Amino acid sequence: FLDSLSISPLVPPTVLEVASKAHALPYPPHWSEELDAASGALYFYHELRDESSWQHPLTDTFREVLQQVATFAEENRRLDQLAVGIEQSLTEIQARAAQDLQQWVGPLGPEGEQYFYNNITGCSTWEDPCERWRYDIHVRYDLLVGFLV
């Protein structure tokens, strides 16, 4: 798991603790862990998109959070300074989510066949982008606030 996140086992123990908590988190909605019959390798499957990936669906989120935790650990911040840094980080991700969500409309279509459409990219998806962002922010919050305690 650490290799997939490009995390050295020599990082500060607090980073390893947060990585361990990240590894134990449930997958985002509609994602599951599967085993490739031919190779025996683990992969991840998104049922709504009928999409497979060798990369954990939260790899980018985990990398960002672990980088922040490593920075906080290196800076040896006081608890009140850590709280401010975590609050700033969560505020920034909420702003990023809000900006992304402005591009989406939906649900569109009849009940049972509803989809979401991105006005900028022209892409559509069965997955509610709000649900995806809500889970991402929740994961970040759990990991960063858990780091405080």
Side-chain angles (χ1 to χ4, degrees):
F1 182 70
L2 292 177
D3 285 344
S4 70
L5 298 175
S6 305
I7 301 294
S8 163
L10 304 176
V11 296
T14 52
V15 176
L16 293 176
E17 288 172 26
V18 174
S20 176
K21 289 177 184 177
H23 185 260
L25 288 171
Y27 297 117
H30 313 292
W31 282 97
S32 63
E33 178 181 294
E34 306 295 334
L35 197 60
D36 180 53
S39 69
L42 185 70
Y43 71 95
F44 304 93
Y45 177 72
H46 191 283
E47 66 176 335
L48 289 181
R49 291 186 267 176
D50 192 26
E51 206 174 86
S52 299
S53 173
W54 295 111
Q55 184 175 336
H56 188 289
L58 292 172
T59 295
D60 293 337
T61 298
F62 291 159
R63 281 185 182 146
E64 285 182 32
V65 169
L66 292 171
Q67 181 57 51
Q68 290 171 329
V69 169
T71 299
F72 293 153
E74 288 171 14
E75 293 173 349
N76 203 18
R77 294 184 180 194
R78 295 188 325 259
L79 187 59
D80 61 328
Q81 294 170 325
L82 279 174
V84 168
I86 289 170
E87 184 177 359
Q88 287 173 338
S89 173
L90 292 172
T91 299
E92 288 170 11
I93 198 64
Q94 286 173 330
R96 198 161 75 187
Q99 183 178 5
D100 177 67
L101 291 172
Q102 287 177 349
Q103 301 173 11
W104 290 94
V105 294
L108 305 169
E111 188 70 34
E113 297 178 19
Q114 295 180 327
Y115 65 96
F116 300 85
Y117 179 77
N118 187 308
N119 286 318
I120 305 299
T121 65
C123 293
S124 62
T125 181
W126 301 112
E127 181 182 26
D128 183 345
C130 288
E131 183 180 42
R132 181 177 45 81
W133 273 112
R134 198 173 11 257
Y135 191 79
D136 184 270
I137 290 170
H138 176 79
V139 163
R140 290 170 190 270
Y141 177 87
D142 280 355
L143 293 174
L144 289 170
V145 171
F147 167 65
L148 272 179
V149 201

